[in-house]
């Protein structure tokens, strides 16, 4: 197994409900270490650039509006196969399809307000981490 880093966001629906600690506990219980973390309030423009890959999709504007509606917690996770592990702990995008015990099964309010974001590949993780963190902020 390979030690990896991945990117995670605790989304506005979860920060509004003070779920940061509960979500982080699930990540840590799964063997992931939080090596960088900050609470920020994204502008709509920052959210738009971050989610630019989805700009031609019908949900893009709504996603950018939602992600800039309240603070989020951006973080870098490290662990064995961290990308796959984080995605497993998050659960399916649609909380109705998420396995019991996953973050989305327990905390998501809907498909759109599903509490967390996680990178889907090493290349994506590298880009997403660099968008929010400088190398000096990664303190594993």
């Amino acid at each position: 197994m390979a030690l990896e880093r991945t990117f995670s966001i605790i989304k506005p629906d979860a920060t509004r409900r003070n779920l940061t600690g509960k979500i982080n506990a699930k990540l840590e219980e799964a063997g992931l270490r939080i090596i960088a973390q900050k609470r920020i309030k994204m502008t709509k423009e920052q959210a738009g650039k971050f989610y630019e890959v989805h700009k031609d999709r019908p949900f893009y504007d709504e996603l950018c509006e939602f992600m800039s509606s309240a603070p989020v917690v951006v973080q870098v996770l490290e662990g064995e196969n961290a990308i796959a592990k984080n995605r497993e702990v998050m659960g399916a995008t649609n909380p109705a399809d998420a396995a019991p015990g996953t973050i989305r099964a327990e905390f998501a309010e809907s498909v759109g307000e599903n509490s967390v974001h996680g990178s889907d590949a090493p290349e994506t993780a590298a880009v997403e981490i660099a968008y929010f963190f400088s190398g000096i902020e990664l303190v594993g």
Side-chain angles (χ1 to χ4, degrees), residues 7-21:
F7 179 74
S8 169
I9 300 177
I10 300 175
K11 294 182 177 182
D13 61 296
T15 63
R16 272 191 206 107
R17 294 178 288 142
N18 293 320
L19 296 174
T20 301

Side-chain angles (χ1 to χ4, degrees), residues 25-44:
K26 285 189 165 293
L27 297 170
E28 291 177 333
E29 287 166 10
L32 296 166
R33 289 183 52 216
I34 300 166
I35 65 164
Q37 180 183 71
K38 54 189 164 186
R39 184 179 179 95
I40 63 169
K41 174 84 167 60
M42 269 195 269
T43 66
K44 192 169 180 186

Side-chain angles (χ1 to χ4, degrees), residues 24 96 107 123 127 136:
N24 283 340
F107 304 124
E123 301 78 20
V127 170
I136 198 168

Side-chain angles (χ1 to χ4, degrees), residues 10-125:
I10 300 175
K11 294 182 177 182
D13 61 296
T15 63
R16 272 191 206 107
R17 294 178 288 142
N18 293 320
L19 296 174
T20 301
K22 290 179 181 180
I23 290 171
N24 283 340
K26 285 189 165 293
L27 297 170
E28 291 177 333
E29 287 166 10
L32 296 166
R33 289 183 52 216
I34 300 166
I35 65 164
Q37 180 183 71
K38 54 189 164 186
R39 184 179 179 95
I40 63 169
K41 174 84 167 60
M42 269 195 269
T43 66
K44 192 169 180 186
E45 293 73 28
Q46 287 169 319
K49 182 145 177 64
F50 181 76
Y51 286 107
E52 194 168 41
V53 65
H54 299 303
K55 70 179 178 231
D56 295 327
R57 313 263 319 254
F59 59 82
Y60 175 74
D61 287 333
E62 184 179 340
L63 174 62
C64 295
E65 191 70 40
F66 168 62
M67 291 301 291
S68 61
S69 68
V72 298
V73 175
V74 293
Q75 52 194 10
V76 180
L77 309 175
E78 184 177 76
E80 297 291 328
N81 295 312
I83 295 166
K85 176 78 68 178
N86 184 43
R87 295 187 70 73
E88 179 183 322
V89 174
M90 287 191 313
T93 302
N94 183 342
D97 299 332
T102 62
I103 292 168
R104 289 176 173 154
E106 290 192 23
F107 304 124
E109 296 183 312
S110 66
V111 174
E113 295 188 4
N114 61 18
S115 299
V116 288
H117 162 90
S119 301
D120 61 1
E123 301 78 20
T124 311

